[in-house]
């Protein structure tokens, strides 16, 4: 199945919250809407309406990609992802793979350095090489479930390739170029700073959501 952008946002949000705020999972519809529409750690930022989220989530549940639980006394519906790491899922990810795929779903194409910084709350990678090794495994067409990540052509002025998930359709993976000899330090430092600020904003958003629920 090739997922639309809104479906990717819903599944990715459920994957993220299962790790960062497990005590809140499965997520209620209200919590799922808030997670999808976060202004931090989301690229692009979306403004999905309640009816759209409910309709899309229910459709994903019918296809077997979400688990939908309804309390018939209270009428509260809760959702949990079933795309990966369940007995009936085609995709079985390690913790490292789970973190990488989740961030790619929520934030679009990323370099290994960006992934390392932005995966911190899901998995703490030792270095960029560890991220690259995980990406290599996810690009392997022979892995169970097939390749789910592709390497994109390196953009002019960028030291590293970006990588993208293939859950919205096949993406041709290109061979790796040799990194440039002297990367622009200012741009690299700025990118790292932006990633750190984004991670802090995401933590603040989760804290605000917990306080509202309490």
């Amino acid at each position: 199945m090739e997922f639309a952008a809104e479906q990717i946002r819903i599944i990715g949000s459920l994957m993220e919250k299962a790790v960062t705020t497990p005590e809140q999972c499965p997520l209620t519809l209200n919590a799922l809407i808030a997670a999808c529409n976060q202004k931090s750690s989301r690229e692009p930022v979306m403004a999905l309406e309640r009816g759209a989220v409910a309709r899309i989530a229910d459709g994903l549940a019918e296809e077997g990609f979400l688990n939908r639980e309804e309390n018939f006394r209270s009428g509260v519906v809760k959702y949990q992802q079933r795309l990966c790491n369940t007995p009936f899922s085609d995709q079985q990810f390690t913790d490292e793979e789970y973190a990488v795929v989740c961030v790619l779903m929520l934030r679009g194409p990323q370099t290994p350095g960006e992934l390392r910084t932005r995966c911190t709350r899901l998995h703490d990678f030792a270095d960029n090489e560890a991220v690259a090794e995980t990406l290599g495994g996810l690009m392997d067409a022979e892995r169970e479930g097939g390749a789910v990540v592709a390497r994109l052509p390196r953009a002019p002025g960028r030291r590293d390739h970006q990588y993208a998930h293939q859950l919205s359709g096949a993406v041709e993976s290109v061979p790796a170029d040799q990194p440039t000899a002297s990367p622009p330090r200012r741009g690299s430092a700025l990118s790292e700073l932006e990633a750190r600020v984004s991670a802090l904003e995401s933590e603040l958003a989760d804290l605000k959501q917990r306080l509202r629920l309490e």
Side-chain angles (χ1 to χ4, degrees):
M1 183 175 180
E2 295 183 6
F3 297 103
E6 294 80 4
Q7 294 174 316
I8 287 290
R9 178 58 53 88
I10 287 173
I11 298 173
S13 296
L14 289 170
M15 289 175 62
E16 178 193 59
K17 298 306 179 185
V19 176
T20 61
T21 56
E23 69 281 0
Q24 296 179 13
C25 296
L27 293 186
T28 64
L29 179 58
N30 286 340
L32 178 56
I33 294 168
C36 290
N37 292 338
Q38 276 184 207
K39 291 182 172 58
S40 62
S41 299
R42 302 288 186 269
E43 295 174 19
V45 173
M46 292 184 174
L48 300 179
E49 297 182 354
R50 181 183 183 86
V53 174
R55 174 175 50 79
I56 296 169
D58 289 346
L60 288 168
E62 291 178 4
E63 294 287 342
F65 296 110
L66 299 186
N67 186 48
R68 183 184 189 275
E69 301 176 5
E70 182 172 2
N71 185 318
F72 292 100
R73 290 186 177 180
S74 64
V76 175
V77 178
K78 295 185 176 183
Y79 299 93
Q80 190 170 20
Q81 72 86 21
R82 294 183 59 188
L83 174 72
C84 64
N85 294 11
T86 74
F88 305 103
S89 302
D90 291 334
Q91 300 293 346
Q92 300 295 322
F93 296 138
T94 64
D95 291 346
E96 296 89 342
E97 292 171 338
Y98 186 102
V100 166
V101 172
C102 183
V103 171
L104 291 177
M105 293 173 72
L106 292 175
R107 306 204 61 164
Q110 309 278 310
T111 65
E114 290 168 339
L115 282 167
R116 180 191 174 194
T117 302
R118 293 166 177 171
C119 282
T120 301
R121 299 172 65 243
L122 297 169
H123 181 81
D124 190 12
F125 286 96
D127 48 38
N128 290 359
E129 287 70 25
V131 179
E133 183 178 349
T134 299
L135 287 165
L138 289 167
M139 288 190 294
D140 185 0
E142 300 299 321
R143 69 182 298 276
E144 185 176 358
V148 292
V149 168
R151 183 190 297 112
L152 304 180
R154 185 160 58 86
R158 298 298 298 269
R159 173 177 172 79
D160 296 316
H161 289 269
Q162 288 184 316
Y163 295 78
H165 69 77
Q166 300 197 66
L167 298 172
S168 294
V171 179
E172 183 177 359
S173 191
V174 303
D177 294 335
Q178 292 297 322
T180 54
S182 55
R185 294 184 179 179
R186 177 171 180 154
S188 177
L190 181 59
S191 177
E192 182 176 351
L193 178 60
E194 289 174 343
R196 291 179 181 274
V197 170
S198 178
L200 290 172
E201 288 176 343
S202 181
E203 291 180 7
L204 180 60
D206 277 340
L207 178 59
K208 288 181 177 178
Q209 184 175 345
R210 291 186 191 184
L211 291 175
R212 284 198 299 268
L213 292 175
E214 291 175 358

